[in-house]
Amino acid sequence: MPELRISDEVAAALAAGQPVVALESTIISHGLPRPRNLDAAREFEGILRERGVAPATIAVLDGVPHIGLDDVGVRRIAEEELAKASVRDLPILAARGGSGATTVAATAHLAARAGIRVFATGGLGGVHRGASETFDESADIPTLAVTPVAVVSAGVKSVLDIAATLERLETLSVPVVGYRTRVFPAFWLRESGHELDWSVEGPDEVAAIMASLDEAGSRTGIVVANPIPEDQQWDPAEHDRVLAEAFAAAEAAGVRGKAVTPFLLGYIVDASGGRSLEVNLDLARNNVRVAADIAAAWSARG
Ligand code: PSU
Ligand code: MN
């Protein structure tokens, strides 16, 4: 079995030094409801192609990591019940010919192996609330310390412990830059209240930081934190109310451990009357556009 299957479109772009952006499949399989997820997967790819950027949606299909999917592959990640695959699941899926939707960690890892340096997602995984007891921290965070990919996200969801997530990125020496902001975003909201040390004004600056990391022989990624525009964000008062309700409902239902996040997210989509989903789609589109610009700037450096 081939180690990686790179689509013709992505392989041609990589060979010619043309821009490529990686896209994850967990957001499609597990982060967005059907049937909107299929439209979203196609739309994200379309935003890239319109800008002359090759889309590399990444997933493991029948044991083979695919870098760039055809229409059948895109349908599979949207419609099949795929396992959520992080980096540690990749060898197991390969060995047994299984399929999985890749998380930020697994997508970044596979993108880097294929030579892709820019990746767009919605939100990163991070440190969960209560992690001092549970040790629940996404593999997204340590993976970015050893994976040379610039990841454009709208920060992390406010159901996580944002302060602790930023501390872990600091400990692991992963550069975090705000995209035209000095405040780390909170996914549905433009601002989390956490100040950042650095902001960048445009894609060329991100490409320059990527080049500096390479020159230094570093293998770390970069977190590019791209807040949703103010007029597209979820109303902060409504956000705070629904989140408080969601945490109370989880407590009342006795939900614990791994089940907490899916419970909260499901509750939030329902209790917001779909508003949180619209914001989720808007912020993801914004991230894809910014990633396209960064990939173009990176490819222009030759
Ligand atoms: N955050 C979101 N939507 C998502 C995810 C995170 O707002 O769909 C997904 C991403 O694929 C991320 C993963 O990499 O969840 C993190 O999961 P875990 O905490 O289990 O590592
Ligand atoms: Mn976890």
Side-chain angles (χ1 to χ4, degrees):
M1 251 193 294
E3 205 211 1
L4 292 178
R5 178 165 309 152
I6 304 182
S7 71
D8 291 347
E9 183 182 15
V10 170
L14 288 172
Q18 297 293 317
V20 180
V21 167
L23 299 168
E24 60 153 320
S25 41
T26 289
I27 184 178
I28 304 301
S29 292
H30 301 278
L32 297 169
R34 293 177 199 153
R36 290 293 290 277
N37 62 345
L38 178 59
D39 297 338
R42 290 173 169 160
E43 192 190 345
F44 299 156
E45 293 195 338
I47 290 171
L48 293 172
R49 289 196 182 101
E50 263 167 32
R51 287 165 170 74
V53 178
T57 304
I58 294 181
V60 182
L61 299 175
D62 309 317
V64 181
H66 282 57
I67 314 293
L69 301 178
D70 59 12
D71 189 57
V72 174
V74 172
R75 276 189 174 279
R76 288 190 63 183
I77 64 169
E79 293 171 353
E80 279 182 23
E81 293 295 328
L82 292 184
K84 175 174 155 185
S86 194
V87 177
R88 71 171 187 167
D89 305 303
L90 297 175
I92 299 171
L93 292 175
R96 53 174 66 183
S99 300
T102 49
T103 63
V104 168
T107 304
H109 174 86
L110 291 170
R113 278 195 15 219
I116 299 169
R117 304 296 304 272
V118 184
F119 169 19
T121 184
L124 291 182
V127 178
H128 289 257
R129 297 189 190 200
S132 61
E133 297 283 317
T134 62
F135 281 64
D136 193 351
E137 173 189 359
S138 175
D140 292 358
I141 301 298
T143 297
L144 287 178
V146 294
T147 309
V149 170
V151 183
V152 183
S153 77
V156 300
K157 281 192 172 125
S158 32
V159 299
L160 299 179
D161 185 335
I162 298 177
T165 301
L166 288 169
E167 289 295 343
R168 287 288 294 148
L169 288 165
E170 180 182 335
T171 302
L172 293 165
S173 299
V174 178
V176 180
V177 297
Y179 199 80
R180 301 182 177 142
T181 181
R182 282 286 293 273
V183 182
F184 194 68
F187 196 77
W188 299 291
L189 299 182
R190 187 169 169 78
E191 298 193 336
S192 68
H194 297 280
E195 295 275 335
L196 294 171
D197 292 333
W198 304 100
S199 71
V200 293
E201 287 313 308
D204 295 338
E205 276 188 78
V206 179
I209 298 167
M210 293 164 65
S212 299
L213 283 166
D214 283 3
E215 280 155 23
S218 170
R219 298 275 302 165
T220 52
I222 305 173
V223 173
V224 179
N226 182 40
I228 187 161
E230 183 130 25
D231 60 344
Q232 289 183 318
Q233 76 169 345
W234 195 3
D235 174 56
E238 166 97 352
H239 163 275
D240 294 354
R241 183 181 64 73
V242 171
L243 247 75
E245 241 180 70
F247 279 109
E251 184 65 37
V255 183
R256 294 278 179 275
K258 275 176 77 162
V260 174
T261 305
F263 179 93
L264 292 173
L265 297 182
Y267 189 98
I268 289 166
V269 171
D270 292 344
S272 73
R275 175 72 189 130
S276 67
L277 174 60
E278 295 311 317
V279 178
N280 192 342
L281 288 166
D282 278 336
L283 67 84
R285 292 180 187 108
N286 288 329
N287 294 341
V288 174
R289 288 186 204 106
V290 167
D293 291 346
I294 295 169
W298 177 250
S299 118
R301 293 183 72 94

